[in-house]
Amino acid sequence: EEPVRGGEATFLMSPAPQVLTSAMTTAGAEQVVSAKISDSLFTYDFNLNPQPLLAESYEVSDDGLRVTFHLRKGVKWHDGVEFTSEDLAYTTMEVWKVLHGRGRTIFANVESVETPDKHTAVFVMRRPSPGMLKSLAAQYAQILPAHIYKGTDPLTNPANLKPIGTGPFRFVSFQPGDNLVLERNPDYWDEGKPYLDKLIFRFIPDPATRAAALESGDAHIVPQNLIPMADLERLEASGEFDVTTKGYEFLNEMEMIEFNLDDDVMKDIRVRKAIAHAIDRQWIVDNILFGYGQPATTPLHHQLTELHDDTGVPQYEYDPEKSKALLEEAGYKADANGVRLKLVVDPLPYGDHQQHIGAYMREAMREVGIDLEVRAQDFAGFVKRVYTDRDFQFTVNLLTGGSDPTVGTQRTFWGPSFKIGVGFSNGSHYENPEMDKILEDAAAEMDPAKRKELYHQFQKLAMEDLPAFPLVAVESTTTASKRLKNHSIDANGTYSNFAEVWLEPAK
Amino acid sequence: MDRQFWTYLGWRGAQSLVIIAIVIVGSFLLLHLVPGDMVDVLGGQRGDMDAEMMADLRARYGLDRPVLVQLLEYIGAVLRGDLGYSFRNSTDVLSLVLQRLPTTILLVVCSVITAVFIGTMAGVVAARHSHRLIDVVISMVVLVFYATPIFLTGLGLMIVFSVKLRLLPIGGLMTPGFGGNWLELVTNVVTHLILPVLSLSLFYIAIYTRLARASMLQVLEQDYIRTAYAKGLSTYNVIIGHALRNALLPVVTMVGLQIAELFGGAVLTETIFSLPGVGRLAYDAVFERDYPLILGVLLVCSFIIIMVNLIIDIIYTLLDPRVEVSR
Amino acid sequence: MTRRLEVADLVVRHKTRKGTVHAVAGVSFEIGAGQTLGLVGESGCGKSSLARAIVGLNKPTSGNLAINGTAVDPRRPSSRARDMQMIFQDPYGSLNPRLTVRELVEEPLKVHRLRSRAERREWVKALLDRVGIPETMHDRLPHQLSGGQRQRVGIARALALEPKIIICDEPVSALDVSVQAQVLNLLVDLQREQDLSYLFISHDLEVIRYVSHWIAVMYLGVIVEIGPVDRIWKSPLHPYTRALMQTTDNREMQAGPEVKLNSELPNPLSPPSGCRFRTRCPLAIERCAQEEPQLREEAAGHKVACHRAQEWASRVSAAA
Amino acid sequence: MLRRVLLSPAGIIGLITLLIIVGMALSAPYVFPKGPWSLVARPYLWPGQREGLIFGTDALGRDILAGVFYGSRVSLLVGIVATACALLIGITVGAVAGYFGAAADAVLMRITDAFQTIPGFLFAVVLVSILSPSIATIILAIATVSWPPVARLTRAEVLRVRESEYVQSCKVIGMSAPRIILTQVLPNSLSPVIVAAAVLVATAIITEAGLSFLGLGDPNVMSWGTLINVGRPSIRTTWFICIIPGLFVVLTVLALNLLGDAINDALNPHLRRR
Amino acid sequence: MAGIKNAQAPRPLLDVHNLSVAVKLASKARAYAVDKVSFSVGVGETLALVGESGAGKSLTAMALMRLHKAQTMDVEADRIDLLGRDIARMNDREIRSIRGSTVAMIFQDPLSALNPVLTVERQLVESIVLHNDMSRSQARKRALELLDMVRIPAAGSRLSEYSHRLSGGMRQRVMIAMALAGNPKLILADEPTTALDVTISAQILDLLKELQRDLGVGMLFITHDLHAVRTVAHRVAVMYSGRIVETGDVSKVFNDPSHPYTEGLLAARPHGSFVGAAHRLREIPGTVPAPADRPAGCAFAPRCNRRTAECEVRPPPLEYVGPAGFACYHPLQEVPA
Ligand SMILES: Nc1ncnc2c1ncn2[C@@H]1O[C@H](COP(=O)(O)OP(=O)(O)OP(=O)(O)O)[C@@H](O)[C@H]1O
Ligand SMILES: Nc1ncnc2c1ncn2[C@@H]1O[C@H](COP(=O)(O)OP(=O)(O)OP(=O)(O)O)[C@@H](O)[C@H]1O
Ligand SMILES: [Mg+2]
Ligand SMILES: [Mg+2]
Ligand code: NI
């Protein structure tokens, strides 16, 4: 189909972004909006191979300690200033490494950035970091204009709310909590693009309202499961909307149980296994996720096609009898009511799925004689309870795997990442020197085959020790009007810059 | 308005200050005595902050000092017109709240006016025909409005008028990036507000109808109504000229008592109709443990509610010359 | 004659937002055993304030009180209850609507833990019998009684503790004429039987005259004239008393200056200087504005607070 | 009084509806011995789609009818307990402020004012979320925001009754202040409060539903609000999950209001017949 | 004291025949709160309607003006002639046209009878404009005249006052001024002085008497104050439990009553002191029956010491002896057989 220029597309989101740059935050909303305003070095294809954006090409030295980026020429910031390697150097060293939650890990090994000329930047590494190259999309690595930020406190720079970027869309207006209006950048480096005249973001907190807005034609695209799953079938059936799971290959979300290994009951692997056997994960996929996901076989998401490998990895199929036997073995006898032990689960209060899984587990656990209480709290309470007070038994958590294990999964299983007070770190408090070594080696391994093997060992060991039990590998959905084209064409999906997106004129 | 009136107003002003002081101290202590602070949430969301960084942040935001010290400083700041800084939103609380306030005020004021106007009319009609069919019908309809939770009304109205009939926009205060002259702007805002205002006011229409009906019935029993009839006035003139103003007095009082509730109800309405108001701001702030912001919202709301009550007192004084005696 | 109740220089103030009302501005009198002091005056002159201060419902600002010769601190409304009781004006409002007649009369005894249960029953029965409430009505609630019956229950309740002093604040004003007579007769009979002392408040001069041994006339917080009933009735000296008499069918009043009032009570928040009555008094002279007249005895027990009282007093005695 | 209530059609309808709901609450464990949580069938079954599930199933395949039965227990419990707490606080504050007046009145009423100037529902949201949602915190929050009107009402009534002659007469017979408050003032000033209580229960039920709607319900307890919350995201498609419990909220609130009105009417002529 | 003598026989202004007011009770039953009363008021004459509380005096007045509550009461009458027109048969519009203009009313409690939120001027001018063809400014002038007429000092400044700022006597004067605004022929005064102090009440009675004489209007003066009757009325009708039991010239009725109730009422008022004379007041035992509990025969019979079996069967009719009449089988003047 031939793209058509013009038109306004409306993009629904929730929560609302608080600032309009993602260089200093990991919050999803900020990532989505800022990607449209400011381009990153790369975007990624569905197999997570980098595709040029602001970096036309790159090369890595054999020892992996020098990474050279050749930057695109003739790119201008929205205020007309030229984009140079200086911007990249500044952002890397003073923003990503210092202020960005993930960036602090991803770029931890970057010692300095050399700028031999305006269009070349060389990352000098302390240790090789192959994972870094998977993480240069806008959401983790948004480049800031040095001429605006340098010498200021990036956290309070007014440009955070009136961003100046290099991307296909320019900032027009922002009503915090309500809407953000962007317009076409006529000086975009990729001439002719973008196609849309205007891109409007509306922040709608209520799921039913979002569905209604999409249906009434007030909006065109809703990313990341923000349309209630129960509505998807009907919307799809109406013929006016598309539901796709493409475009989340970098996200790789996983519903995972984290067992608190500091807890006397949870310490016992038999109990952990018993819990694992008591859960019918296919039921969860079918009934809670409406089929958008798969029972997880390893801690790595199946969308990480290069590394995901479950051969020889122990599996915990749904088997209540086995579960009961394990509990029996662990010394938990059933009382008159059939109750063997009482446990408390803390589902992550984010969206409904964890709560629903918690509610399902309460019933499933009853089958095997576990009286499960589902605790409710708000997000802050959850984080404090689990990561600071460590006053919990197990969670149902939603963990982002990211484009590479080093970005996400690693922190859940790597001993040193256990830090009191740090959210979404090693919540289980799992410490196994063998595991630590595997993960550290894998992180620095440049050879893809060896790397794959190391991660295979990781997957096996993780499932043997079972500090955390991966329940479901979630597939996120984007729901969009059929009139909106080209919105999920790479691994960044709705997180990409939307330069290619166009809107079919209404009939 | 004589000196007495001003003394009275001064007295009310002093009372208001005391009330605000109680609100400040009370909510401040409440928020600071519960577990979990903003840094915990921040740490959680960022994913990889270490304890040191969190301690740093606490020091930076002043969260590491004794609660009483923080309280005193907060009070000092409030007196200077500074409600603190919302680190989550990278803005100072006051400007954040003020930015959102117009929407909420618009919503609440429109709802109050709608509720009082429709409610009073319905109440007067019902009282005028008390115990006849029309009264029973009005009373029942209004009772159903009253019994239906705001969110059901809101979602219902939205599904009917926005999705099915596509008559009115789904939510928001105006079309994003709306550009047009002021008349178009007003029209745009009005169309956006119809459903939220309706869903918020239906509940209150019920209250005012019942109140106006009861108060009208009571007023119609009064001797001065008999006097008015004895003068030879027609029923219409008696009701409009003599009864209505007296019957409105409890309604006016009720508005004062209920304005706070309306602000509360705005949380739900703003959530459903995605209006960028303070209700939603506070709701979001709660989940982010943005204490300065929560405090700021509570404080500004209380302040506004107190001001509204002062205004209502003045209106009351104008409507009822007896206040100087009765209060 | 023993002095049952002595009141000296009693002052009662009410603070309101508009200012302070001197509802009772220094009142002194005494009541002997078996005697009634009738207190008349226009509405708002402070009759109730005075009565309430005496029984302890108001805290007086200053003043002294003695019961049976023993001083009582008027600012501490402690246990005056057994010596002194009160009968209220509103027969509908003065009885708790939730208690039966029997319970209402028994209540004071219970409060003071007097007598055994059985004795209490007996006593209540006797009391109710005395005030003329038939036994069939003992278990009724107040709203099932007529006004006169309620007032009788109120009287029985007041008598339950066998006090010797009863303060009656307009006990018959709210009653129908035909019932009024019943209650007045009851009160008079009880006084004779039990040697009671009454402070009897009314603004109906005929009623006051009927029940009282002594009459006091109050105006804006002060007693302007006080004396034996016959003296006051036949030869009132204060112009205000004379004005009140004009509103009755008093044909015995001795000739004197004709006083007809054409104005209303001045604002009690700012009473006139000098003689409080001077603004309405057709006979006021200059002195009245400057000097407040004191109560002076013009004849045995007959005291008047008027600068010109002696003028008519001499005429009255001359005529007598 | 009951007779008077039963004489009015509104009173009868209200009472019967309420009795049915109480009946549901009491019979829930017998009718649905497996409890409201058990996953009986596929999620999102429409009412009547499968035999025996007349209200269908919710987002997890739980029987909505069972949820409604058990929900009535919780909703009524929340309503009644929260109201009881609010009444306890409100009546105490109101009675003390009204009877003793002066300083006690000034202090208590300013505190009451302060509570009344904070948007109630918003405050409840803050309270429940920072104390973490559970049935206890929900009750606490509802009670906290609903006592001020009770205090005001009680105070006004107490002020009225305090000035009545029968209270004066109790002072004259030497009754102590606490005894006067308890035996004279409160019994005679609580009728409007009782009427208000019916409405308070109703309001508490609505508030609980509202809190649950915002996701602040107790996940371990099946209330109507829980069902509404579960059904809310998919209200566009499977609206019945939300609407059925919603209708029960409406019904209960209606019934309570009708009953309150009837009690009010029954009390009033009684008081007026003087 | 003697009643006021009326020189010539009055032309009837108002002639009421068998007026009844039925009150609907809670139990759906009806009770006659006013039971077939007949009376007339002549031009320039004052008829006092006396009786104890609940006798039906106010209802009688209300029924004449049709101001009773239609939902709970029914009014029946054979005939109510007002200036030759039968107002019992008038429709609502016609009744409204005579309210305030031909017939005016004054009520017992002037505080509650005046609208608290409207100024005196607003209320007075409203009446004036309604019944006279006047502009607002003329009406204002007329209002001042009226206030002067009822002797309100500094009338000009009172116009802008609200009723709660006025004293009781002043309020009643305003009410009277309002009643006079439509130049009525008949004034119904329902206990106009009961709420007032004795001294003020005397002033208002004087004023009413004067106005009535000067303007030549007829007045139905309702009261339970026997002294007031003597002061202002020419004739009196005594009501007991919804019926007129005795009527006649004031001096005749008061000095030589025929009905035992009238006599009892007069004797129940204290005259003299018990202290010297040691006499007790004459009591009438029992209380006035409520309309629903009224006995079949003479309503007064249960309290009457002259009753016979006859009295309990049928109510005695009101029989006239000349201008006076009474309803009793055993009048006081009866020569014992
Ligand atoms: N509680 C109070 N607060 C303020 N002012 C009061 C109070 N009680 C009485 N007053 C004022 O004190 C004055 C005397 O009142 P009081 O009730 O004693 O008069 P009274 O002679 O009993 O009148 P009445 O005949 O109407 O009963 C009046 O001006 C009244 O307004
Ligand atoms: N609205 C009403 N509903 C029922 N009964 C009524 C109503 N109004 C008056 N009555 C009854 O009618 C009877 C006559 O009342 P009315 O008011 O005419 O008495 P009244 O002679 O004016 O007494 P008062 O001296 O107290 O004014 C009373 O017994 C009263 O109870
Ligand atoms: Mg008094
Ligand atoms: Mg009357
Ligand atoms: Ni005479």
Side-chain angles (χ1 to χ4, degrees), chain A residues 101 177 209 215 378 421-423, chain B residues 44 47-49 54 166 272 280 289:
Chain A
T209 313
E215 262 185 280
D378 69 354
V422 179
Chain B
D48 69 338
M49 284 204 304
M54 290 174 69
R166 302 211 177 175
I272 293 166
R280 230 175 95 195
R289 287 285 194 277

Side-chain angles (χ1 to χ4, degrees), chain B residues 243-259:
Chain B
L244 192 58
R245 196 159 148 195
N246 285 288
L248 272 178
L249 296 175
V251 172
V252 171
T253 310
M254 189 56 123
V255 170
L257 287 176
Q258 237 149 30
I259 201 85

Side-chain angles (χ1 to χ4, degrees), chain A residues 79-121:
Chain A
D79 60 359
V81 176
E82 195 187 4
F83 163 74
T84 66
S85 52
E86 184 52 35
D87 294 315
L88 178 58
Y90 164 75
T91 315
T92 314
M93 297 310 293
E94 292 184 39
V95 183
W96 296 341
K97 270 181 70 84
V98 186
L99 297 169
H100 191 275
R102 293 263 166 75
R104 280 155 60 92
T105 328
I106 298 170
F107 302 101
N109 293 330
V110 179
E111 196 156 74
S112 64
V113 178
E114 291 171 5
T115 50
D117 65 55
K118 273 165 72 174
H119 301 291
T120 312

Side-chain angles (χ1 to χ4, degrees), chain B residues 60-139:
Chain B
R60 186 165 164 183
Y61 301 158
L63 296 174
D64 54 346
R65 286 162 310 154
V67 173
L68 272 182
V69 176
Q70 292 187 47
L71 172 63
L72 288 179
E73 279 193 5
Y74 186 73
I75 292 175
V78 170
L79 289 179
R80 273 178 273 116
D82 170 12
L83 293 185
Y85 190 79
S86 164
F87 295 97
R88 312 271 321 165
N89 291 277
S90 323
T91 329
D92 71 291
V93 169
L94 190 61
S95 58
L96 203 60
V97 175
L98 290 184
Q99 192 179 34
R100 300 288 197 93
L101 204 55
T103 309
T104 307
I105 290 185
L106 202 60
L107 173 68
V108 168
V109 167
C110 290
S111 303
V112 169
I113 292 173
T114 316
V116 169
F117 186 72
I118 299 182
T120 312
M121 292 224 300
V124 169
V125 170
R128 179 71 191 85
H129 305 276
S130 75
H131 298 292
R132 297 214 221 117
L133 184 66
I134 180 155
D135 176 29
V136 175
V137 169
I138 288 181
S139 299

